Amino acid sequence: MVKLTKIYTRTGDKGETGLGDGSRVAKHDLRVAAYGTVDETNAAIGLTQCHAEGGMTHLLTRIQNDLFDVGADLCTPEQDAPPYPPLRVTSSQVEFLEKRIDELNSDLKSLRSFILPGGTLLSSHLHMARTIARRAERLISQLVELAPTHLEALRYMNRLSDLLFVAARRANANGAQDVLWVPGANRQG
């Protein structure tokens, strides 16, 4: 269990931070950028919750907790013989998102165009969280290419952005208030 008694430690005053395995890296390291962007996603979801209710609130709370797992996973580099078992995202966490996506999407009309992010206040916040989740996913994808990284964290962020997209459509009166993109609509005049 985490116990924080002192918030500042001064250990990062020279531009470095500690990873979950005890190693030190620059604060601009790709791994730090990846889990930092997961944290941004979590904060955006926290803001989104201010406009949600009922089952959506419970779903977003669960996702926020899982995002801490994603951050812990990314914070601890994969190694052959870790001194303790690291916290890793599981396939069941990804499968949970897949089931919720299927439920949320079950009675939405198929899209015939991309939609513009927006609509209701809740939908707008869900879209913002989605775009931040996509940025985290891109950073994690880059990290996977450069260093051993647990792939379930990448899969989780991919599914999360899909879930947030479908949830945003649900928040737009089950898609009825979605604003469709009209390609080239403003090119004349």
Side-chain angles (χ1 to χ4, degrees):
M1 183 54 82
V2 175
K3 182 179 178 185
L4 298 173
T5 55
K6 191 171 184 180
I7 300 304
Y8 64 91
T9 62
R10 298 187 175 109
T11 59
D13 287 353
K14 293 183 180 176
E16 290 186 344
T17 191
L19 297 179
D21 65 355
S23 63
R24 306 277 305 165
V25 296
K27 289 189 177 203
H28 60 270
D29 184 85
L30 180 58
R31 181 174 301 280
V32 177
Y35 69 73
T37 308
V38 169
D39 191 36
E40 276 185 69
T41 304
N42 206 337
I45 289 173
L47 180 61
T48 301
Q49 276 195 327
C50 295
H51 308 286
E53 54 187 40
M56 182 62 71
T57 301
H58 298 298
L59 174 61
L60 294 175
T61 298
R62 178 174 174 151
I63 289 168
Q64 283 192 291
N65 195 75
D66 283 351
L67 285 173
F68 263 85
D69 290 355
V70 173
D73 188 327
L74 294 170
C75 179
T76 308
E78 288 200 334
Q79 46 187 281
D80 292 331
Y84 57 88
L87 179 62
R88 298 289 183 214
V89 175
T90 66
S91 60
S92 65
Q93 288 171 293
V94 176
E95 291 163 6
F96 173 83
L97 293 179
E98 291 173 348
K99 288 177 186 172
R100 298 300 82 75
I101 291 167
D102 291 342
E103 289 169 3
L104 290 168
N105 198 43
S106 65
D107 59 351
L108 293 175
K109 290 182 183 176
S110 296
L111 285 171
R112 289 183 163 60
S113 175
F114 290 107
I115 62 171
L116 303 180
T120 65
L121 190 57
L122 175 57
S123 179
S124 298
H125 281 289
L126 286 161
H127 278 297
M128 181 59 75
R130 172 186 60 80
T131 63
I132 298 169
R134 282 282 189 220
R135 181 162 32 99
E137 180 187 1
R138 290 190 301 271
L139 290 168
I140 297 166
S141 175
Q142 188 178 5
L143 181 62
V144 165
E145 287 185 357
L146 300 175
T149 305
H150 188 234
L151 290 178
E152 290 301 319
L154 178 61
R155 289 183 64 225
Y156 186 91
M157 294 307 293
N158 180 268
R159 293 312 179 286
L160 176 59
S161 58
D162 293 339
L163 181 139
L164 293 169
F165 176 79
V166 174
R169 291 199 66 213
R170 289 294 293 238
N172 270 344
N174 289 329
Q177 293 180 357
D178 286 340
V179 178
L180 298 179
W181 171 49
V182 180
N186 301 311
R187 291 172 57 160
Q188 295 183 18

